Amino acid sequence: MGGPTRKWEKILILESSAVLQRRLAAGLEQLDQTCVCFQRATALLRYISMELSPTVVVADCFVPDMDLFSFLKRYTEQAGTHTENRLILTCTETYPPPELRAQILSNGADYYMIKPYTAQMLLESIQHLYSPAVPARMAGVHPDIVDYLRKLGLPLEHISFWYIASAVQLGVNANSPLPLKSLYIELGRIYGVSPQGVESGLRRMGKTLTRLGVFSEAPSSKQLVATLVSAFLRERSESRDDVYAVKP
């Protein structure tokens, strides 16, 4: 996952807050990226209808001038012929509620991000949408760890799956979870992302497991990794199979 960040030809931002628009635009400019900002969905949709090159659209779930699902319907109708287009929705912890998020993804959105987020985190999410997740064997993760996490219901196709899988593998190798700061740095090195991006990914996996009923409330990253490492080691010790550490 390493290497230079690709320069995206078009990043379109739909955000009603002018302050957030300026903050994102400035952050993207520092990363040698440019964006076009809109405050109304109708203006963005009109732009897409005339745009021929692939675009990445980043839109607030609180679409200012139309219902969210009306926006998704119109977006898919207008962008449907451009198969390279991607739509990222941004939302808060409480909106849209978990029961609506799967519906959002099935109605045209490719991904959603929880606020707050930085321009760097946005670019890492975009990179994932255009680049498949790293295979487990390249990340040095034992297949049984992958199977264990998949049985919990975590989505294999998301890059955050591999952050938590590698975190569990590192914990298995050390027989205990790494300190968080060291973990973020090491996973950032493995996957070519920022420590903040790793933290965001682990937090996202924790929320997914909470929605699946594995946790009663969203765990901290430290609680998440420690619980999964302990549970995996306990399960494997009960099976009397201890060949799970992967040599660096």
Side-chain angles (χ1 to χ4, degrees), residues 81-169:
T81 57
H82 303 299
T83 57
E84 286 296 303
N85 283 13
R86 298 291 185 271
L87 172 62
I88 298 174
L89 289 180
T90 63
C91 56
T92 64
E93 298 283 356
T94 57
Y95 183 83
E99 59 269 20
L100 280 185
R101 296 183 186 179
Q103 189 177 353
I104 287 170
L105 293 175
S106 65
N107 277 270
D110 295 286
Y111 185 59
Y112 62 81
M113 295 182 66
I114 302 295
K115 293 181 176 180
Y117 62 94
T118 64
Q120 178 66 48
M121 291 164 63
L122 172 60
L123 285 181
E124 289 170 0
S125 295
I126 294 172
Q127 182 72 38
H128 167 65
L129 288 175
Y130 282 93
S131 303
V134 178
R137 62 181 179 277
M138 294 184 66
V141 179
H142 195 285
D144 282 356
I145 291 177
V146 175
D147 290 342
Y148 171 72
L149 295 175
R150 291 186 70 183
K151 288 175 184 176
L152 294 179
L154 290 178
L156 178 68
E157 70 277 3
H158 199 288
I159 188 62
S160 296
F161 177 97
W162 299 104
Y163 297 167
I164 191 61
S166 292
V168 172
Q169 182 67 69

Side-chain angles (χ1 to χ4, degrees), residues 15-120:
E15 171 60 60
S16 57
S17 168
V19 173
L20 290 179
Q21 280 191 5
R22 288 195 295 269
R23 188 178 301 163
L24 267 179
L28 289 169
E29 184 178 0
Q30 290 179 352
L31 296 167
D32 193 31
Q33 308 287 325
T34 57
C35 66
V36 182
C37 295
F38 303 85
Q39 287 188 311
R40 300 183 70 80
T42 49
L44 180 139
L45 291 168
R46 190 179 309 116
Y47 184 96
I48 291 176
S49 69
M50 299 182 294
E51 180 58 49
L52 297 179
S53 60
T55 62
V56 177
V57 176
V58 183
D60 189 350
C61 275
F62 288 103
V63 180
D65 55 336
M66 66 177 64
D67 170 75
L68 173 59
F69 286 96
S70 297
F71 169 72
L72 287 171
K73 183 175 185 295
R74 291 188 56 183
Y75 168 81
T76 53
E77 287 173 351
Q78 294 185 204
T81 57
H82 303 299
T83 57
E84 286 296 303
N85 283 13
R86 298 291 185 271
L87 172 62
I88 298 174
L89 289 180
T90 63
C91 56
T92 64
E93 298 283 356
T94 57
Y95 183 83
E99 59 269 20
L100 280 185
R101 296 183 186 179
Q103 189 177 353
I104 287 170
L105 293 175
S106 65
N107 277 270
D110 295 286
Y111 185 59
Y112 62 81
M113 295 182 66
I114 302 295
K115 293 181 176 180
Y117 62 94
T118 64
Q120 178 66 48

